[in-house]
């Protein structure tokens, strides 16, 4: 099973709202990722967690706050977003996320389509 | 610098035509290469991947790709496309940030197959 699930599928929020995106995988993977994908563009990496530790933050604004409660779950907390943050937010997972000797494949969830008004 | 370049942004084909989508990369380390497909309204799915060994890689749905190290290329091919292949195709390379892996995507190629 290579399934990564994400909730909600769609989210509409105002600029003063606080909301959270959730991602879950049960493949025993120890690395999880958040990507942002604008229309007709490739996914752009936001954050990487490896063994529940934040390993990469691609200079993402603080209005996006990731959280990894355990190895199966990844959240993205949203606060005071801007309309330009409207996008498809993708979660992915892989075995470990670390460079050392592991040939890894990232598996993606269906995404949460976010609209900020 | 790690980068991926996809030459064709839009490709339009008729059913049964042959497909080749170009992908070139720039990376000095051990190369891991991927092709992902995103059907309209759906999530990214892995088509195929290359880690090592036979440079001709076969994936799902009749797709294959050839890794040519001397040309820094990993082109995607399919002998005969179907209408259902209409999708966006992303080439990606596994790069690194510190001791951690990251996927670097090309800009994508939007394929439209007409019946």
């Amino acid at each position: 099973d290579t399934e990564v699930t994400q909730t909600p599928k769609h989210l509409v929020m105002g600029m003063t709202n606080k909301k959270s995106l959730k991602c879950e995988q049960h493949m025993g993977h120890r690395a999880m990722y958040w990507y942002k994908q604008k229309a007709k563009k490739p996914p752009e990496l936001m954050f990487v967690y490896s063994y529940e530790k934040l390993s990469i933050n691609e200079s993402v604004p603080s209005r996006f706050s990731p959280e990894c409660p355990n190895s199966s779950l990844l959240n993205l907390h949203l606060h005071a977003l801007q309309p330009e943050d409207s996008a498809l937010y993708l979660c992915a997972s892989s075995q470990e996320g670390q460079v050392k000797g592991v040939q890894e494949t990232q598996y993606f969830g269906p995404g949460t389509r976010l609209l900020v008004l | 610098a790690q980068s991926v370049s996809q030459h064709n942004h839009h490709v339009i084909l008729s059913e049964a035509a042959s497909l080749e989508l170009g992908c070139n990369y720039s990376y000095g380390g051990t190369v891991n290469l991927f092709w992902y497909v995103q059907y309209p309204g759906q999530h990214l799915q892995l088509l195929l991947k290359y880690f090592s060994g036979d440079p001709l890689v076969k994936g799902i749905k009749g797709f294959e790709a050839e890794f040519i190290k001397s040309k820094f290329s990993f082109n995607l091919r399919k002998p005969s496309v179907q209408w259902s292949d209409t999708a966006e195709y992303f080439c990606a390379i596994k790069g690194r940030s510190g001791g951690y892996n990251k996927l670097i995507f090309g800009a994508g190629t939007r394929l439209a197959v007409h019946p």
Side-chain angles (χ1 to χ4, degrees):
Chain A
D1 183 12
T2 56
E3 189 177 22
V4 177
T5 58
Q6 291 187 241
T7 55
K9 285 188 166 55
H10 301 274
L11 179 63
V12 180
M13 61 186 290
M15 289 190 282
T16 58
N17 292 157
K18 284 186 182 180
K19 297 285 184 184
S20 296
L21 310 184
K22 295 185 185 304
C23 174
E24 191 166 4
Q25 57 86 15
H26 294 289
M27 294 180 275
H29 288 170
R30 303 309 299 271
M32 296 185 78
Y33 308 77
W34 279 116
Y35 288 84
K36 175 181 176 179
Q37 187 179 21
K38 300 283 275 184
K40 300 182 182 181
K41 296 289 186 184
E44 295 177 357
L45 183 66
M46 300 174 71
F47 302 104
V48 180
Y49 273 84
S50 178
Y51 289 89
E52 295 99 71
K53 179 184 165 189
L54 182 62
S55 306
I56 299 178
N57 177 342
E58 294 283 88
S59 303
V60 179
S62 60
R63 57 185 184 268
F64 295 92
S65 175
E67 179 197 18
C68 190
N70 61 56
S71 59
S72 301
L73 292 173
L74 184 67
N75 299 324
L76 185 64
H77 302 298
L78 314 173
H79 174 54
L81 294 194
Q82 303 296 310
E84 59 265 28
D85 296 321
S86 298
L88 180 68
Y89 288 84
L90 296 166
C91 175
S93 72
S94 69
Q95 277 180 280
E96 290 192 344
Q98 298 178 11
V99 169
K100 55 175 176 72
V102 178
Q103 294 179 339
E104 296 199 337
T105 299
Q106 289 186 26
Y107 296 94
F108 286 81
T112 294
R113 196 163 294 279
L114 174 68
L115 177 62
V116 182
L117 300 176
Chain B
Q2 307 154 17
S3 65
V4 179
S5 174
Q6 292 182 243
H7 320 296
N8 318 100
H9 295 295
H10 292 95
V11 173
I12 301 173
L13 294 173
S14 298
E15 275 193 318
S18 64
L19 170 72
E20 180 160 2
L21 301 182
C23 173
N24 286 91
Y25 65 90
S26 171
Y27 185 56
T30 301
V31 171
N32 293 164
L33 292 154
F34 306 84
W35 276 98
Y36 284 87
V37 61
Q38 193 169 32
Y39 297 102
Q42 295 192 28
H43 64 287
L44 279 166
Q45 299 175 37
L46 180 69
L47 265 182
L48 47 79
K49 59 189 176 185
Y50 172 79
F51 288 145
S52 63
D54 189 344
L56 186 60
V57 180
K58 294 197 184 298
I60 61 171
K61 305 188 182 193
F63 286 90
E64 65 178 32
E66 186 174 12
F67 170 57
I68 303 180
K69 189 174 181 180
S70 61
K71 294 185 179 180
F72 300 91
S73 70
F74 189 56
N75 292 353
L76 182 71
R77 300 195 292 246
K78 186 171 184 178
S80 175
V81 294
Q82 301 172 310
W83 177 78
S84 57
D85 293 323
T86 295
E88 182 124 29
Y89 293 81
F90 293 99
C91 181
I93 186 170
K94 189 182 76 176
R96 58 188 296 172
S97 178
Y100 299 95
N101 293 322
K102 57 188 283 187
L103 268 183
I104 300 163
F105 286 89
T109 297
R110 191 168 291 266
L111 172 66
V113 180
H114 294 304

